[in-house]
Amino acid sequence: MQANIGLSDKVSQQIATLLNKLLADEFLLYTKTRNCHWNYEGDNFMEMHKFFEAQYEELADVVDDVAERIRKIGHFAEGRLKEYLNLTQLKEQPITSDQQKQVKHLLGDHETIIRSVRKSIDEVADNLKDAGTADFLTGVMEVHEKMAWMLRSYLK
Ligand SMILES: [Fe+2]
């Protein structure tokens, strides 16, 4: 059933497209963070293992929130892995057990997401006039800013 919430079909479709791209990025970063959790090797193994676990758990919540936001504006959330790879702007890297490489890759991805969400917030608020999605995206950006700070703190 159509959502009658004051957004035109055209506008809600544009927002859903933008959010599905973000969903693909979030799902990829979630998987990449699990990859680090599984494959890290080093003398602070347990710290990094738990650190990456806390980060992917936070990303799992973001994934769910983005998907459900798409449903709230009346569209289907993408849930197919092949489509995520088509939609995402992130790249997968070779598997590594090296802490510095793992942390740098994840940090780069968080910063990519932060930059594109920052642009989307302006687009959604100024042009598409959806305050709810702009507010939601601001919260998502802040979650990534915190996670990026924590990752950055492992780098010199
Ligand atoms: Fe685990």
Side-chain angles (χ1 to χ4, degrees):
M1 192 174 160
Q2 199 88 2
N4 182 11
I5 55 173
L7 296 174
S8 71
D9 287 353
K10 193 175 163 228
V11 162
S12 71
Q13 181 59 65
Q14 277 175 277
I15 297 167
T17 300
L18 179 154
L19 289 175
N20 268 317
K21 284 183 188 162
L22 176 61
L23 181 58
D25 286 346
E26 299 291 358
F27 203 92
L28 221 79
L29 187 49
Y30 163 78
T31 305
K32 290 178 77 170
T33 306
R34 287 207 83 138
N35 185 335
C36 297
H37 165 76
W38 291 326
N39 292 307
Y40 173 72
E41 291 175 331
D43 53 13
N44 57 344
F45 170 77
M46 196 44 81
E47 186 200 330
M48 293 315 292
H49 187 66
K50 284 185 178 162
F51 172 72
F52 290 134
E53 181 172 13
Q55 290 225 324
Y56 77 63
E57 281 177 347
E58 207 155 347
L59 289 169
D61 287 342
V62 175
V63 163
D64 205 49
D65 290 345
V66 174
E68 290 178 2
R69 178 82 210 155
I70 297 167
R71 297 297 296 140
K72 286 177 201 170
I73 60 165
H75 289 268
F76 286 126
E78 186 52 67
R80 296 169 294 180
L81 297 178
K82 225 185 233 179
E83 288 305 315
Y84 285 152
L85 288 175
N86 287 336
L87 289 171
T88 187
Q89 62 183 321
L90 305 184
K91 300 259 181 295
E92 295 188 291
Q93 282 94 9
I95 293 176
T96 175
S97 63
D98 182 276
Q99 178 179 331
Q100 291 284 304
K101 280 187 191 160
Q102 287 182 329
V103 169
K104 268 183 204 156
H105 284 154
L106 295 181
L107 174 61
D109 289 344
H110 280 278
E111 289 182 340
T112 298
I113 291 176
I114 290 165
R115 290 192 303 272
S116 75
V117 170
R118 195 183 297 285
K119 273 190 209 151
S120 297
I121 293 166
D122 288 344
E123 166 73 5
V124 167
D126 300 343
N127 301 333
L128 304 174
K129 312 280 182 210
D130 179 5
T133 297
D135 181 60
F136 168 73
L137 288 173
T138 303
V140 169
M141 185 176 72
E142 284 168 359
V143 168
H144 284 287
E145 284 172 338
K146 184 170 182 192
M147 293 176 80
W149 158 56
M150 290 192 174
L151 286 161
R152 210 177 286 119
S153 302
Y154 283 102
L155 301 171
K156 286 173 206 131

